[in-house]
Amino acid sequence: MATVARSAPARSRTAIDVILAHPDRCYWIAALLVYGLAASNAANGHFLYQTSRDLWQHLAALRTLIENPFHPANPFVPGQDGSRHFHPYWVGIAVLARAMGWTAWQALAAASFVSAGTLILGIRAFGLAYHGSRWGPVALLLAMTLGWSLPISHTGFHSVETLVEGVSYPAALLIGLSLLLWALVIRALARPIWALLVPPLAAFMFATHQLGAGIGFVTAGAFILFWPEARLKTRVVVALALELGLALSALWPYHNPFDAIIRTGNPTWTGGIDFYAPNKIVMIVLPSIFGVIGLLHRTSWRWSLPISASATAFALIFYAGSYGILIATRFAPPLMLMLHIGLSTLILILARNWHHMPKAHQLGWFALGCFCVVGHGMVTFIYLRGEVRESRVLGNSYTQGLAITRDIPDQQPVAVWDVAAWPVVATGQRVISVPWPEPMIEGLAHRQAAVEQLFRPDLTREARLSLARHWGVKTLILDTNGPLRREMPRNLLQTLQQQSVRSVKVGMFIRFDLE
């Protein structure tokens, strides 16, 4: 009797098989999870005890724009000075908020989801255009979210720790827009019709955030110069489109972006993070330095040349910061982004060659990846636990600032020392000066010097009162914990207590009325 051969039963497809067969689904699920959660957390407030957060200046600007979106006054000091914060992004959000009846807090929450959506679209567009692979966006998302050794929460970085508190900020938006711009440039070098979209995008970017846009333009220029297999005529067309966008940005009616660059406010400021400390250098180079392997690999170096050139430029500028050029420290975030793009290339190279690699190499790469991810997760957990404890102790600096200035008219300035000024101006209260650069404020350095003088412990009551009257000030406010990353002068609180007619303490703030 003849036997009939039976074929092996077909293996049922698992959920992993389905996901791996659809890289687009894989990307959208992961991206929406990561950036959706970050936007939700930022929208609901994050560690509001921190007086140094950029949140407060953005909140103050949105409050002012919602009140009068077409003729706003400076949100920080009395008078009709403009503000670099009156850019297309905030004006657009404010007009929408005014139409919807939103508060400044609700407008900022909505902006969190706008920026998160821009990041998601930017990573996908650039991942597809640059890598030429459907897995490109997934690899880039992995590198950008997991390619960290130590937690960093600072405006300009694309780390999860930064985005959970500041994804609504213009700096975060500019990361997403830069990725979209680079994708457009790559597409335009192949099909010049795409260059039509470059001018409006470039104009919006430069009018919104000059430094972030400038960083994006450096890399866009590198793509125009070094991207392989593009005709010279096409490179010129795309370059002219980028220049046209820069020219169009000067038409922004609230301020001229080029004027904002020339009028930098103050060239120095205090309380900044030391990015040249050993732990920060480790954070910048590990594990992102492995991205150099992806950039220089024999199969990818020609296509990676624009990123390699940008990374070199950003690294040199960042190094200049060690000689006291403060603005150079702002180039650490784009340097990390370039290295993470290289890391995404390395991920794709490893994925393509995984089954052909020796077991020892597989084990080594797998162990390195696990070490970085688990190590970063553990350190981040410890970091966040400390932040949560401190938040519970110190409370909400916004509500405290609101309470301590409740009886003072908003347009009557108060003198607030150091970064404690930020949550105070977020409530609508005007101050003599703010501690960080604000190009549109006339005489900012003079104002900042006056505030420092008012909080000198060796000043007599008569001299302090005379200086305060010169600036129209009756009230001094400071954080009882002292200035950011500076020592609290000895006997300052006792001296101000003796020289004031009344003092009030609310949370971390203490107020001294001079008359």
Side-chain angles (χ1 to χ4, degrees):
M1 183 176 178
T3 59
V4 179
R6 296 183 180 179
S7 59
R11 184 173 68 90
S12 59
R13 298 183 72 190
T14 65
I16 294 178
D17 292 328
V18 173
I19 291 175
L20 292 178
H22 298 88
D24 285 339
R25 292 183 189 175
C26 186
Y27 173 74
W28 287 113
I29 292 171
L32 289 171
L33 182 64
V34 171
Y35 293 116
L37 288 175
S40 297
N41 187 80
N44 287 292
H46 178 86
F47 297 150
L48 300 181
Y49 73 92
Q50 297 172 341
T51 57
S52 61
R53 289 186 55 191
D54 290 352
L55 165 72
W56 307 123
Q57 52 187 293
H58 297 310
L59 190 65
L62 278 171
R63 178 190 297 277
T64 302
L65 283 168
I66 292 171
E67 289 174 357
N68 190 342
F70 303 110
H71 300 286
N74 190 281
F76 308 136
V77 300
Q80 295 302 311
D81 289 341
S83 173
R84 66 186 174 95
H85 294 284
F86 300 156
H87 48 67
Y89 184 37
W90 281 158
V91 171
I93 292 292
V95 170
L96 176 64
R98 190 176 174 91
M100 300 296 293
W102 293 342
T103 65
W105 280 104
Q106 291 170 316
L108 204 64
S112 297
F113 291 95
V114 172
S115 291
T118 304
L119 276 165
I120 292 171
L121 294 175
I123 292 171
R124 184 175 186 276
F126 180 72
L128 289 171
Y130 177 73
H131 290 298
S133 165
R134 293 174 64 200
W135 284 104
V138 178
L140 184 56
L141 179 66
L142 283 172
M144 290 177 63
T145 55
L146 301 178
W148 306 82
S149 56
L150 297 174
I152 177 69
S153 177
H154 192 275
T155 301
F157 285 93
H158 53 275
S159 62
V160 173
E161 293 86 1
T162 297
L163 297 179
V164 294
E165 67 167 84
V167 71
S168 62
Y169 299 174
L173 178 79
L174 261 291
I175 296 172
L177 292 179
S178 293
L179 290 165
L180 285 171
L181 176 66
W182 304 338
L184 270 180
V185 168
I186 293 172
R187 300 294 187 193
L189 289 172
R191 297 184 61 197
I193 190 68
W194 286 100
L196 293 174
L197 298 178
V198 170
L201 177 58
F204 181 89
M205 290 171 63
F206 196 63
T208 296
H209 196 288
Q210 290 76 50
L211 178 60
I215 289 168
F217 295 161
V218 167
T219 303
F223 275 110
I224 293 171
L225 287 174
F226 301 121
W227 188 251
E229 300 179 6
R231 297 165 56 190
L232 177 60
K233 181 180 178 181
T234 307
R235 296 182 197 273
V236 171
V237 168
V238 179
L240 289 175
L242 193 61
E243 292 176 10
L244 177 60
L246 277 168
L248 289 174
S249 70
L251 300 177
W252 180 242
Y254 290 79
H255 62 259
N256 187 326
F258 295 97
D259 187 40
I261 293 176
I262 296 170
R263 300 169 58 186
T264 55
N266 56 332
T268 62
W269 60 92
T270 62
I273 292 177
D274 180 11
F275 283 105
Y276 304 94
N279 66 317
K280 294 299 184 293
I281 295 297
V282 169
M283 179 271 298
I284 291 170
V285 302
L286 290 177
S288 56
I289 194 66
F290 289 100
V292 174
I293 299 174
L295 295 176
L296 300 181
H297 193 270
R298 59 183 175 79
T299 62
S300 61
W301 72 269
R302 288 185 66 235
W303 306 96
S304 299
L305 194 56
I307 300 299
S308 300
S310 299
T312 302
F314 296 148
L316 290 173
I317 297 172
F318 175 67
Y319 178 72
S322 62
Y323 291 93
I325 304 174
L326 289 181
I327 195 65
T329 62
R330 300 292 185 178
F331 286 81
L335 171 59
M336 290 201 70
L337 180 56
M338 297 301 106
L339 292 175
H340 282 164
I341 292 172
L343 199 59
S344 69
T345 302
L346 178 61
I347 291 171
L348 291 175
I349 291 172
L350 291 175
R352 284 196 300 265
N353 298 288
W354 189 258
H355 294 296
H356 305 290
M357 292 170 57
K359 293 293 183 183
H361 290 186
Q362 291 179 347
L363 181 61
W365 284 114
F366 181 75
L368 177 64
C370 289
F371 175 78
C372 292
V373 173
V374 174
H376 178 221
M378 291 176 61
V379 175
T380 301
F381 177 73
I382 296 170
Y383 158 78
L384 290 176
R385 281 190 65 187
E387 294 277 9
V388 169
R389 284 197 300 268
E390 198 166 1
S391 179
R392 289 172 179 168
V393 171
L394 296 177
N396 186 325
S397 62
Y398 174 83
T399 58
Q400 294 168 11
L402 192 64
I404 207 165
T405 59
R406 193 179 302 277
D407 61 330
I408 304 175
D410 284 350
Q411 292 299 320
Q412 179 182 316
V414 297
V416 188
W417 195 29
D418 203 65
V419 296
W422 291 124
V424 171
V425 298
T427 67
Q429 183 68 51
R430 298 310 195 267
V431 297
I432 292 180
S433 181
V434 289
W436 295 340
E438 173 60 28
M440 300 296 115
I441 297 178
E442 294 289 345
L444 178 62
H446 183 49
R447 288 173 173 272
Q448 290 172 331
V451 171
E452 290 294 322
Q453 185 79 0
L454 279 169
F455 286 93
R456 282 180 51 183
D458 59 342
L459 214 61
T460 64
R461 170 174 166 76
E462 291 72 21
R464 200 181 313 275
L465 194 57
S466 175
L467 182 60
R469 285 172 175 168
H470 173 76
W471 289 97
V473 167
K474 299 179 181 179
T475 299
L476 275 59
I477 299 174
L478 73 160
D479 186 339
T480 54
N481 299 302
L484 182 66
R485 302 186 183 95
R486 285 193 287 166
E487 292 286 335
M488 171 79 89
R490 186 176 298 178
N491 300 323
L492 175 60
L493 293 178
Q494 296 90 327
T495 301
L496 292 177
Q497 184 75 51
Q498 293 168 1
Q499 295 182 3
S500 62
V501 297
R502 186 174 76 104
S503 64
V504 177
K505 187 176 184 301
V506 178
M508 68 185 75
F509 296 121
I510 186 167
R511 163 182 165 176
F512 299 98
D513 291 337
L514 298 180
E515 57 180 333

